[in-house]
Amino acid sequence: MHRLPPPDPRTSHPGSPGIPRRRLLLCASAAALLAAGCSTEGDGDGGHEDGGPAQRPAAAPSGVLGANFNEDPGEVSFARLRGVSASWVRGFLPMPQADRGPVREQRAVAALLAAHEQHYGTVLSLKFPYRQRALPAPGSRAMEAELARVEKAARAVLGKVDILVIGNEPFLESRRADREGPALNTFYEHVAEHVVTHRRKHFPEGCRTRLYMGALNHLDDPAERTAATRRWLGFVHGAPEIEGVDIHPHVTSLDAAQHYLDYVVPRLRSDQKFLATEFSLVRHWRAHLRDRIPPRFARRYDVAPDTRVWQLLKTAVDTPFPQEKWDAFLSASPWFHKNRHYLRDQVQRFRDTGKLAVATYGVAQADAMVRDIGPDKQPWLLNSVYATRTVRAHEDGATGHTTAWYDDFAALQRPRDRRPVRTSPTST
């Protein structure tokens, strides 16, 4: 057992040097679950059992900004979350992983269970990857297999995570033929009804885990506001135990994101809210990857003036910059500098609707973001609060960051949203 050092928001990694970063939250999860005395028997997944104590639902979140790691929690330590005062965290589980061992041990779930034990608010999205094959029909063997995976996930997380989102990005993770016909809606409605039934059975007196459907993409494009998206929102509106819908506005501007709000908010019930578990200006960044780097930056750092933005990003990944060089590049780039308060402004627009439950923003650069960088790769790495792959660690060990996002993320945290986050005294 390795004792954690005192909390330090500057520290990039609070665990022992002998523990690989990717194992940190998984190990913390194991320690926290053992300390809490959670069952590892019975249903085979360490989850709830029939006849267990009823759980009083937690207070509904409203207007919260948390941290998102998608499926890769490897760079998301508790110290980094503390560094920006985050008290909520979100990830997703690709459902095929439910067949690869206990769900509670899958990376995203383990990280969220560890965060739950530390009193963080938690959001888990269930991802159903069906881009290369047809969605199962109700009653088919394929649907039975999918529902068995859903059952495994439900046993592992219901009563623990605060929010369970049924679907990650259904309209991107399915075939066009299924999106244009009834198959997509039928599949997700069937899964949702199964989860609702499961929760009623195992938590007849209430469950802390709230259910949402998610997430809708490309609603800024009129062609993507279809009969299927209308049916999706109609189902959400008519399902008493579904508390709202998730949206993922990866857009070119704040005005583009406004189309999401204008489309979704009026279709919610008065008692429903929306999530925005992913959002960014990544499509705006991508439009500038072939731009030349700023001339004054090129002169100051002796970089060839005809270097393109994507080439500079690749250089930063190959040989991470000092913090001041990363800041200088972004502040000298008009396409970024003019949007330096995007995070602040977007969250404010979400909150102004009065219907935001939780929004989560990318907290760290992950492996997939920096692999095969080129002029056509989505530059997700420009979204992250912590620039873990493009900025070298400070001399005092502090993690590099994208200053605009780092400062505004922390400033957007509200005292009433903060949970009594604690630090586990030990980790394996």
Side-chain angles (χ1 to χ4, degrees), residues 141-174:
R141 289 186 178 181
M143 179 62 87
E144 290 176 3
E146 200 62 76
L147 293 180
R149 297 183 189 103
V150 171
E151 291 270 353
K152 293 177 185 178
R155 289 197 298 270
V157 304
L158 283 183
K160 299 181 178 66
V161 301
D162 291 271
I163 294 174
L164 180 66
V165 187
I166 301 163
N168 179 53
E169 293 181 333
F171 288 81
L172 299 183
E173 295 162 358
S174 58

mmCIF file of all heavy atoms in Angstrom, residues 141-174:
data_model
loop_
_atom_site.group_PDB
_atom_site.id
_atom_site.type_symbol
_atom_site.label_atom_id
_atom_site.label_comp_id
_atom_site.label_asym_id
_atom_site.label_seq_id
_atom_site.Cartn_x
_atom_site.Cartn_y
_atom_site.Cartn_z
ATOM 1 N N ARG A 141 -31.731 -12.756 -30.846
ATOM 2 C CA ARG A 141 -30.631 -13.215 -29.996
ATOM 3 C C ARG A 141 -29.609 -12.114 -29.772
ATOM 4 O O ARG A 141 -29.034 -11.984 -28.693
ATOM 5 C CB ARG A 141 -29.966 -14.444 -30.630
ATOM 6 C CG ARG A 141 -30.804 -15.703 -30.597
ATOM 7 C CD ARG A 141 -30.012 -16.901 -31.108
ATOM 8 N NE ARG A 141 -30.796 -18.119 -31.030
ATOM 9 C CZ ARG A 141 -30.356 -19.328 -31.392
ATOM 10 N NH1 ARG A 141 -29.111 -19.446 -31.883
ATOM 11 N NH2 ARG A 141 -31.128 -20.380 -31.280
ATOM 12 N N ALA A 142 -29.397 -11.305 -30.804
ATOM 13 C CA ALA A 142 -28.450 -10.204 -30.666
ATOM 14 C C ALA A 142 -28.925 -9.202 -29.613
ATOM 15 O O ALA A 142 -28.133 -8.669 -28.834
ATOM 16 C CB ALA A 142 -28.239 -9.509 -32.007
ATOM 17 N N MET A 143 -30.239 -8.953 -29.572
ATOM 18 C CA MET A 143 -30.759 -8.043 -28.555
ATOM 19 C C MET A 143 -30.644 -8.669 -27.171
ATOM 20 O O MET A 143 -30.302 -7.981 -26.193
ATOM 21 C CB MET A 143 -32.215 -7.698 -28.860
ATOM 22 C CG MET A 143 -32.849 -6.775 -27.823
ATOM 23 S SD MET A 143 -32.052 -5.144 -27.704
ATOM 24 C CE MET A 143 -32.953 -4.250 -28.975
ATOM 25 N N GLU A 144 -30.905 -9.938 -27.063
ATOM 26 C CA GLU A 144 -30.747 -10.604 -25.772
ATOM 27 C C GLU A 144 -29.311 -10.485 -25.268
ATOM 28 O O GLU A 144 -29.079 -10.258 -24.071
ATOM 29 C CB GLU A 144 -31.148 -12.080 -25.891
ATOM 30 C CG GLU A 144 -32.646 -12.294 -26.100
ATOM 31 C CD GLU A 144 -32.988 -13.771 -26.311
ATOM 32 O OE1 GLU A 144 -32.048 -14.607 -26.241
ATOM 33 O OE2 GLU A 144 -34.165 -14.080 -26.532
ATOM 34 N N ALA A 145 -28.358 -10.633 -26.177
ATOM 35 C CA ALA A 145 -26.953 -10.503 -25.792
ATOM 36 C C ALA A 145 -26.647 -9.075 -25.348
ATOM 37 O O ALA A 145 -25.911 -8.861 -24.368
ATOM 38 C CB ALA A 145 -26.051 -10.917 -26.945
ATOM 39 N N GLU A 146 -27.220 -8.104 -26.054
ATOM 40 C CA GLU A 146 -26.967 -6.707 -25.688
ATOM 41 C C GLU A 146 -27.592 -6.386 -24.340
ATOM 42 O O GLU A 146 -26.988 -5.694 -23.508
ATOM 43 C CB GLU A 146 -27.509 -5.779 -26.769
ATOM 44 C CG GLU A 146 -26.901 -4.388 -26.760
ATOM 45 C CD GLU A 146 -25.408 -4.405 -27.011
ATOM 46 O OE1 GLU A 146 -24.998 -4.597 -28.166
ATOM 47 O OE2 GLU A 146 -24.642 -4.215 -26.040
ATOM 48 N N LEU A 147 -28.794 -6.872 -24.106
ATOM 49 C CA LEU A 147 -29.445 -6.613 -22.827
ATOM 50 C C LEU A 147 -28.707 -7.304 -21.684
ATOM 51 O O LEU A 147 -28.703 -6.792 -20.546
ATOM 52 C CB LEU A 147 -30.896 -7.076 -22.874
ATOM 53 C CG LEU A 147 -31.812 -6.291 -23.821
ATOM 54 C CD1 LEU A 147 -33.230 -6.845 -23.766
ATOM 55 C CD2 LEU A 147 -31.804 -4.803 -23.491
ATOM 56 N N ALA A 148 -28.076 -8.432 -21.963
ATOM 57 C CA ALA A 148 -27.269 -9.083 -20.926
ATOM 58 C C ALA A 148 -26.091 -8.195 -20.538
ATOM 59 O O ALA A 148 -25.727 -8.098 -19.357
ATOM 60 C CB ALA A 148 -26.770 -10.442 -21.419
ATOM 61 N N ARG A 149 -25.490 -7.517 -21.516
ATOM 62 C CA ARG A 149 -24.409 -6.573 -21.212
ATOM 63 C C ARG A 149 -24.944 -5.393 -20.395
ATOM 64 O O ARG A 149 -24.294 -4.933 -19.449
ATOM 65 C CB ARG A 149 -23.760 -6.081 -22.504
ATOM 66 C CG ARG A 149 -23.095 -7.164 -23.325
ATOM 67 C CD ARG A 149 -22.412 -6.598 -24.571
ATOM 68 N NE ARG A 149 -21.969 -7.680 -25.437
ATOM 69 C CZ ARG A 149 -22.593 -8.052 -26.551
ATOM 70 N NH1 ARG A 149 -23.668 -7.393 -26.964
ATOM 71 N NH2 ARG A 149 -22.138 -9.059 -27.267
ATOM 72 N N VAL A 150 -26.107 -4.917 -20.786
ATOM 73 C CA VAL A 150 -26.723 -3.812 -20.055
ATOM 74 C C VAL A 150 -26.977 -4.213 -18.605
ATOM 75 O O VAL A 150 -26.758 -3.424 -17.671
ATOM 76 C CB VAL A 150 -28.021 -3.367 -20.750
ATOM 77 C CG1 VAL A 150 -28.792 -2.369 -19.879
ATOM 78 C CG2 VAL A 150 -27.718 -2.755 -22.112
ATOM 79 N N GLU A 151 -27.439 -5.438 -18.401
ATOM 80 C CA GLU A 151 -27.673 -5.931 -17.034
ATOM 81 C C GLU A 151 -26.378 -5.921 -16.222
ATOM 82 O O GLU A 151 -26.357 -5.523 -15.056
ATOM 83 C CB GLU A 151 -28.237 -7.351 -17.086
ATOM 84 C CG GLU A 151 -29.645 -7.461 -17.621
ATOM 85 C CD GLU A 151 -30.687 -7.359 -16.514
ATOM 86 O OE1 GLU A 151 -30.295 -7.344 -15.336
ATOM 87 O OE2 GLU A 151 -31.885 -7.295 -16.846
ATOM 88 N N LYS A 152 -25.284 -6.351 -16.834
ATOM 89 C CA LYS A 152 -24.002 -6.342 -16.128
ATOM 90 C C LYS A 152 -23.614 -4.927 -15.715
ATOM 91 O O LYS A 152 -23.157 -4.688 -14.592
ATOM 92 C CB LYS A 152 -22.911 -6.944 -17.012
ATOM 93 C CG LYS A 152 -23.051 -8.425 -17.309
ATOM 94 C CD LYS A 152 -21.940 -8.873 -18.260
ATOM 95 C CE LYS A 152 -22.101 -10.309 -18.684
ATOM 96 N NZ LYS A 152 -21.046 -10.733 -19.659
ATOM 97 N N ALA A 153 -23.793 -3.988 -16.640
ATOM 98 C CA ALA A 153 -23.463 -2.600 -16.328
ATOM 99 C C ALA A 153 -24.378 -2.055 -15.244
ATOM 100 O O ALA A 153 -23.918 -1.373 -14.313
ATOM 101 C CB ALA A 153 -23.558 -1.746 -17.590
ATOM 102 N N ALA A 154 -25.661 -2.355 -15.333
ATOM 103 C CA ALA A 154 -26.610 -1.855 -14.338
ATOM 104 C C ALA A 154 -26.269 -2.375 -12.950
ATOM 105 O O ALA A 154 -26.310 -1.627 -11.963
ATOM 106 C CB ALA A 154 -28.025 -2.257 -14.736
ATOM 107 N N ARG A 155 -25.912 -3.669 -12.849
ATOM 108 C CA ARG A 155 -25.567 -4.225 -11.544
ATOM 109 C C ARG A 155 -24.328 -3.559 -10.963
ATOM 110 O O ARG A 155 -24.195 -3.416 -9.748
ATOM 111 C CB ARG A 155 -25.355 -5.734 -11.654
ATOM 112 C CG ARG A 155 -26.634 -6.529 -11.890
ATOM 113 C CD ARG A 155 -26.428 -8.005 -11.586
ATOM 114 N NE ARG A 155 -25.435 -8.624 -12.444
ATOM 115 C CZ ARG A 155 -25.682 -9.207 -13.607
ATOM 116 N NH1 ARG A 155 -26.934 -9.209 -14.077
ATOM 117 N NH2 ARG A 155 -24.731 -9.774 -14.315
ATOM 118 N N ALA A 156 -23.428 -3.145 -11.834
ATOM 119 C CA ALA A 156 -22.172 -2.550 -11.366
ATOM 120 C C ALA A 156 -22.330 -1.102 -10.924
ATOM 121 O O ALA A 156 -21.617 -0.651 -10.024
ATOM 122 C CB ALA A 156 -21.114 -2.642 -12.462
ATOM 123 N N VAL A 157 -23.274 -0.358 -11.540
ATOM 124 C CA VAL A 157 -23.258 1.092 -11.312
ATOM 125 C C VAL A 157 -24.540 1.686 -10.736
ATOM 126 O O VAL A 157 -24.484 2.772 -10.150
ATOM 127 C CB VAL A 157 -22.905 1.850 -12.614
ATOM 128 C CG1 VAL A 157 -21.585 1.356 -13.180
ATOM 129 C CG2 VAL A 157 -24.025 1.756 -13.654
ATOM 130 N N LEU A 158 -25.682 1.027 -10.895
ATOM 131 C CA LEU A 158 -26.905 1.616 -10.349
ATOM 132 C C LEU A 158 -26.793 1.737 -8.837
ATOM 133 O O LEU A 158 -26.370 0.815 -8.148
ATOM 134 C CB LEU A 158 -28.128 0.789 -10.722
ATOM 135 C CG LEU A 158 -28.648 0.932 -12.158
ATOM 136 C CD1 LEU A 158 -29.910 0.106 -12.347
ATOM 137 C CD2 LEU A 158 -28.922 2.389 -12.517
ATOM 138 N N GLY A 159 -27.179 2.880 -8.334
ATOM 139 C CA GLY A 159 -27.040 3.145 -6.919
ATOM 140 C C GLY A 159 -25.690 3.708 -6.541
ATOM 141 O O GLY A 159 -25.473 4.088 -5.392
ATOM 142 N N LYS A 160 -24.783 3.783 -7.515
ATOM 143 C CA LYS A 160 -23.443 4.330 -7.261
ATOM 144 C C LYS A 160 -23.220 5.593 -8.086
ATOM 145 O O LYS A 160 -23.030 6.670 -7.528
ATOM 146 C CB LYS A 160 -22.372 3.277 -7.552
ATOM 147 C CG LYS A 160 -22.488 2.021 -6.677
ATOM 148 C CD LYS A 160 -21.385 1.034 -7.008
ATOM 149 C CE LYS A 160 -21.452 -0.197 -6.106
ATOM 150 N NZ LYS A 160 -22.675 -1.008 -6.351
ATOM 151 N N VAL A 161 -23.236 5.482 -9.413
ATOM 152 C CA VAL A 161 -23.074 6.702 -10.210
ATOM 153 C C VAL A 161 -24.324 7.566 -10.057
ATOM 154 O O VAL A 161 -25.418 7.068 -9.807
ATOM 155 C CB VAL A 161 -22.816 6.385 -11.699
ATOM 156 C CG1 VAL A 161 -21.561 5.545 -11.866
ATOM 157 C CG2 VAL A 161 -24.013 5.718 -12.357
ATOM 158 N N ASP A 162 -24.145 8.860 -10.209
ATOM 159 C CA ASP A 162 -25.273 9.777 -10.060
ATOM 160 C C ASP A 162 -26.162 9.798 -11.292
ATOM 161 O O ASP A 162 -27.383 9.939 -11.167
ATOM 162 C CB ASP A 162 -24.745 11.193 -9.791
ATOM 163 C CG ASP A 162 -24.103 11.303 -8.427
ATOM 164 O OD1 ASP A 162 -24.820 11.607 -7.459
ATOM 165 O OD2 ASP A 162 -22.892 11.063 -8.317
ATOM 166 N N ILE A 163 -25.557 9.687 -12.469
ATOM 167 C CA ILE A 163 -26.316 9.750 -13.712
ATOM 168 C C ILE A 163 -25.846 8.641 -14.641
ATOM 169 O O ILE A 163 -24.634 8.467 -14.849
ATOM 170 C CB ILE A 163 -26.145 11.115 -14.400
ATOM 171 C CG1 ILE A 163 -26.770 12.231 -13.548
ATOM 172 C CG2 ILE A 163 -26.761 11.112 -15.796
ATOM 173 C CD1 ILE A 163 -26.521 13.635 -14.078
ATOM 174 N N LEU A 164 -26.785 7.898 -15.198
ATOM 175 C CA LEU A 164 -26.504 6.891 -16.214
ATOM 176 C C LEU A 164 -27.167 7.351 -17.502
ATOM 177 O O LEU A 164 -28.385 7.592 -17.543
ATOM 178 C CB LEU A 164 -27.056 5.526 -15.800
ATOM 179 C CG LEU A 164 -26.808 4.385 -16.791
ATOM 180 C CD1 LEU A 164 -25.312 4.076 -16.903
ATOM 181 C CD2 LEU A 164 -27.575 3.135 -16.371
ATOM 182 N N VAL A 165 -26.366 7.494 -18.552
ATOM 183 C CA VAL A 165 -26.867 7.957 -19.847
ATOM 184 C C VAL A 165 -26.971 6.762 -20.785
ATOM 185 O O VAL A 165 -25.970 6.068 -21.028
ATOM 186 C CB VAL A 165 -25.950 9.038 -20.453
ATOM 187 C CG1 VAL A 165 -26.589 9.615 -21.714
ATOM 188 C CG2 VAL A 165 -25.671 10.141 -19.444
ATOM 189 N N ILE A 166 -28.147 6.523 -21.303
ATOM 190 C CA ILE A 166 -28.384 5.375 -22.180
ATOM 191 C C ILE A 166 -28.071 5.816 -23.602
ATOM 192 O O ILE A 166 -28.860 6.504 -24.252
ATOM 193 C CB ILE A 166 -29.836 4.889 -22.035
ATOM 194 C CG1 ILE A 166 -30.098 4.485 -20.578
ATOM 195 C CG2 ILE A 166 -30.113 3.727 -22.984
ATOM 196 C CD1 ILE A 166 -31.569 4.370 -20.224
ATOM 197 N N GLY A 167 -26.880 5.439 -24.063
ATOM 198 C CA GLY A 167 -26.387 5.850 -25.365
ATOM 199 C C GLY A 167 -25.303 6.893 -25.216
ATOM 200 O O GLY A 167 -25.367 7.770 -24.341
ATOM 201 N N ASN A 168 -24.294 6.805 -26.068
ATOM 202 C CA ASN A 168 -23.225 7.801 -26.079
ATOM 203 C C ASN A 168 -23.494 8.803 -27.201
ATOM 204 O O ASN A 168 -23.882 9.938 -26.949
ATOM 205 C CB ASN A 168 -21.874 7.124 -26.255
ATOM 206 C CG ASN A 168 -20.731 8.117 -26.305
ATOM 207 O OD1 ASN A 168 -20.597 8.951 -25.422
ATOM 208 N ND2 ASN A 168 -19.922 8.048 -27.358
ATOM 209 N N GLU A 169 -23.329 8.385 -28.442
ATOM 210 C CA GLU A 169 -23.667 9.206 -29.608
ATOM 211 C C GLU A 169 -24.389 8.321 -30.625
ATOM 212 O O GLU A 169 -23.822 7.931 -31.643
ATOM 213 C CB GLU A 169 -22.405 9.826 -30.218
ATOM 214 C CG GLU A 169 -21.745 10.843 -29.304
ATOM 215 C CD GLU A 169 -20.510 11.492 -29.911
ATOM 216 O OE1 GLU A 169 -19.850 10.844 -30.768
ATOM 217 O OE2 GLU A 169 -20.197 12.642 -29.544
ATOM 218 N N PRO A 170 -25.635 7.974 -30.337
ATOM 219 C CA PRO A 170 -26.347 6.994 -31.170
ATOM 220 C C PRO A 170 -26.379 7.334 -32.654
ATOM 221 O O PRO A 170 -26.280 6.432 -33.503
ATOM 222 C CB PRO A 170 -27.755 7.001 -30.578
ATOM 223 C CG PRO A 170 -27.574 7.457 -29.180
ATOM 224 C CD PRO A 170 -26.449 8.433 -29.216
ATOM 225 N N PHE A 171 -26.511 8.616 -32.986
ATOM 226 C CA PHE A 171 -26.652 8.986 -34.387
ATOM 227 C C PHE A 171 -25.326 8.998 -35.127
ATOM 228 O O PHE A 171 -25.298 9.130 -36.348
ATOM 229 C CB PHE A 171 -27.354 10.345 -34.493
ATOM 230 C CG PHE A 171 -28.811 10.277 -34.146
ATOM 231 C CD1 PHE A 171 -29.229 10.287 -32.821
ATOM 232 C CD2 PHE A 171 -29.769 10.161 -35.131
ATOM 233 C CE1 PHE A 171 -30.570 10.213 -32.482
ATOM 234 C CE2 PHE A 171 -31.122 10.086 -34.811
ATOM 235 C CZ PHE A 171 -31.522 10.099 -33.480
ATOM 236 N N LEU A 172 -24.224 8.829 -34.409
ATOM 237 C CA LEU A 172 -22.918 8.662 -35.039
ATOM 238 C C LEU A 172 -22.425 7.230 -34.933
ATOM 239 O O LEU A 172 -21.564 6.822 -35.716
ATOM 240 C CB LEU A 172 -21.887 9.596 -34.389
ATOM 241 C CG LEU A 172 -22.155 11.096 -34.484
ATOM 242 C CD1 LEU A 172 -20.997 11.872 -33.857
ATOM 243 C CD2 LEU A 172 -22.358 11.531 -35.927
ATOM 244 N N GLU A 173 -22.962 6.490 -34.000
ATOM 245 C CA GLU A 173 -22.475 5.130 -33.722
ATOM 246 C C GLU A 173 -23.416 4.069 -34.275
ATOM 247 O O GLU A 173 -23.509 2.961 -33.746
ATOM 248 C CB GLU A 173 -22.279 4.970 -32.212
ATOM 249 C CG GLU A 173 -21.170 5.879 -31.697
ATOM 250 C CD GLU A 173 -21.184 6.109 -30.206
ATOM 251 O OE1 GLU A 173 -22.096 5.593 -29.522
ATOM 252 O OE2 GLU A 173 -20.280 6.817 -29.711
ATOM 253 N N SER A 174 -24.116 4.412 -35.344
ATOM 254 C CA SER A 174 -25.011 3.466 -36.001
ATOM 255 C C SER A 174 -24.956 3.691 -37.509
ATOM 256 O O SER A 174 -24.456 4.717 -37.979
ATOM 257 C CB SER A 174 -26.450 3.647 -35.497
ATOM 258 O OG SER A 174 -26.886 4.965 -35.732
#
